[in-house]
């Protein structure tokens, strides 16, 4: 696919047959395990926090909870990341952030996720604690120290700067480029 694979417009233009061929090339069994995902993305030597984040991403995409990402889940995930409506993306972010699955996200969960993302991307321009403080200051208006899905979605949509921070922090374009270019080690 070459250099133009790094352009999201090119990724969006791919047809289903092409995506299927890429998926089957990476995983001939038709199922991707967590271990295979980490190999595809060349994720080695990560901190425990970053490793937990990748695990959380995997289990978020594993919609039926069977321990594998099948082609339908794979396409649904890529479609969401590339073309999903803002509400869909915010719901996905929330599910990803809610590490303990209690239906609420707290400061520690967000700091952990943002620090893990920085560990993976090596982008440390922003302090995770500062970002989380801003998010909670603006969205957690009751001062409870945690947010429900509804609070998170409404609050994020009401603050353009928070939406921009989330988009920048959660930009998975480099991951999609690796998948599109078929780099598997």
């Amino acid at each position: 696919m070459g250099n133009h694979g790094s352009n999201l417009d090119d990724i969006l233009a791919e047809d289903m047959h092409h995506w299927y061929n890429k998926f089957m090339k990476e995983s001939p069994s038709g199922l991707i395990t967590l271990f295979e995902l980490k190999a595809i993305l060349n994720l080695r030597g990560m901190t425990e926090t970053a490793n937990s984040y990748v695990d959380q991403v995997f289990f978020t995409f594993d919609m039926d909870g069977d321990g594998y990402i099948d082609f339908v889940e794979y396409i649904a995930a890529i479609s969401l990341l590339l073309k999903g409506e803002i509400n869909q993306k915010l719901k996905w972010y929330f599910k990803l952030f809610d590490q303990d699955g209690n239906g609420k996200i707290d400061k520690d969960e967000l700091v952990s996720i943002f620090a893990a993302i920085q560990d993976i991307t090596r982008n440390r321009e922003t302090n995770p604690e500062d970002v989380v403080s801003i998010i909670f200051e603006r969205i957690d208006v009751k001062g409870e120290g945690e947010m429900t899905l509804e609070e998170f979605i409404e609050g994020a949509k009401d603050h353009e700067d928070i939406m921009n921070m989330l988009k920048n922090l959660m930009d998975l374009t480099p991951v999609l480029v690796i998948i599109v270019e078929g780099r598997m080690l």
Side-chain angles (χ1 to χ4, degrees):
M1 184 151 183
N3 291 337
H4 65 86
S6 62
N7 182 329
L8 277 181
D9 291 335
D10 291 336
I11 295 171
L12 284 169
E14 299 288 341
D15 65 17
M16 192 66 65
H17 180 72
H18 191 75
W19 279 109
Y20 181 76
N21 285 340
K22 287 185 177 302
F23 180 84
M24 292 308 290
K25 179 182 174 195
E26 299 297 336
S27 184
S29 70
L31 302 170
I32 295 176
T33 65
L34 177 58
F35 178 80
E36 289 169 329
L37 177 67
K38 289 178 181 181
I40 289 167
L41 300 177
N42 192 21
L43 300 176
R44 294 188 201 127
M46 295 183 298
T47 65
E48 187 176 325
T49 303
N51 197 46
S52 294
Y53 168 72
V54 173
D55 293 354
Q56 186 76 6
V57 169
F58 179 86
F59 293 119
T60 301
F61 287 151
D62 178 17
M63 294 172 213
D64 62 7
D66 66 356
Y68 300 96
I69 296 176
D70 62 28
F71 181 69
V72 172
E73 291 166 331
Y74 172 81
I75 288 298
I78 290 173
S79 179
L80 169 69
L81 293 172
L82 295 176
K83 299 188 263 185
E85 297 293 321
I86 194 63
N87 276 7
Q88 293 171 314
K89 286 184 179 185
L90 288 171
K91 283 179 185 177
W92 184 79
Y93 291 164
F94 185 88
K95 184 177 178 186
L96 183 64
F97 297 157
D98 183 15
Q99 294 176 313
D100 61 10
N102 71 350
K104 297 178 181 178
I105 51 176
D106 60 38
K107 291 180 181 182
D108 291 338
E109 287 173 318
L110 280 185
V111 168
S112 173
I113 289 290
F114 293 156
I117 292 168
Q118 287 183 333
D119 189 45
I120 292 167
T121 63
R122 312 276 193 260
N123 178 359
R124 293 180 171 77
E125 294 175 15
T126 309
N127 182 336
E129 289 87 1
D130 294 343
V131 172
V132 171
S133 291
I134 291 168
I135 290 171
F136 271 83
E137 180 182 300
R138 302 233 178 104
I139 296 179
D140 183 23
V141 292
K142 296 177 189 173
E144 299 168 318
E146 58 186 17
M147 291 177 276
T148 64
L149 174 63
E150 294 75 24
E151 290 171 318
F152 177 72
I153 289 175
E154 291 308 312
K157 286 170 51 177
D158 288 346
H159 296 90
E160 187 175 339
D161 59 336
I162 290 177
M163 287 299 300
N164 289 333
M165 280 191 284
L166 289 171
K167 285 178 191 172
N168 290 336
L169 283 168
M170 301 302 294
D171 181 14
L172 296 178
T173 302
V175 172
L176 294 174
V177 168
I178 290 169
I179 292 170
V180 168
E181 291 180 353
R183 275 190 259 142
M184 180 156 174
L185 302 175

